């Protein structure tokens, strides 16, 4: 639970920074990450292999967006709807 809270806090900070500098795709994917993490924290979602893969994919996408913000990763839309 502490780990989930920590990554939620990190995603929230990145989301706020992205909003400040106008990186809407980063803000959106962080919002999606936070939503999944919140469901995990509240017990409304179990940490399965699929959920972990989605979270890991989201972190990878955030890194890619921060490295090249004008080029969203191919799976960007799928990660937003996770």
């Amino acid at each position: 639970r502490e780990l989930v809270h920590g990554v939620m806090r990190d995603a929230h900070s990145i989301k706020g920074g992205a909003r400040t500098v106008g990186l809407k795709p980063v803000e959106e994917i962080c919002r999606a990450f936070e939503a999944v993490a919140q469901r995990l924290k509240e017990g409304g979602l179990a940490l399965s292999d699929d959920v972990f893969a989605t979270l890991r994919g989201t972190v990878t996408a955030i890194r890619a967006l921060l490295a090249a913000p004008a080029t969203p990763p191919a799976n960007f839309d799928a990660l937003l709807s996770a």
Side-chain angles (χ1 to χ4, degrees), residues 1-17 30 33-34 37-38 41:
R1 197 164 259 206
E2 275 299 310
L3 179 61
V4 172
H5 183 70
V7 295
M8 282 180 63
R9 199 170 43 245
D10 292 342
H12 185 76
S13 295
I14 294 168
K15 180 181 75 177
C30 286
F33 183 94
E34 283 181 303
Q38 183 67 34
K41 183 180 171 188

Side-chain angles (χ1 to χ4, degrees), residues 16 22 28 31 35 37 41 50 56 58 63 66 72:
E28 289 174 349
R31 184 177 295 120
K41 183 180 171 188
D50 288 341
R56 187 174 52 180
T58 303
R63 286 182 178 151
L66 291 173

Side-chain angles (χ1 to χ4, degrees), residues 24-26 28-29 61 64-66 68-77 79-80:
K24 186 77 170 162
V26 176
E28 289 174 349
I29 202 156
L65 285 166
L66 291 173
T71 310
N75 62 345
F76 180 74
D77 289 331
L79 292 169
L80 287 179

Side-chain angles (χ1 to χ4, degrees), residues 28-54:
E28 289 174 349
I29 202 156
C30 286
R31 184 177 295 120
F33 183 94
E34 283 181 303
V36 172
Q38 183 67 34
R39 289 177 57 208
L40 283 169
K41 183 180 171 188
E42 293 173 350
L45 183 66
L47 184 58
S48 65
D49 290 341
D50 288 341
V51 171
F52 182 78
T54 297

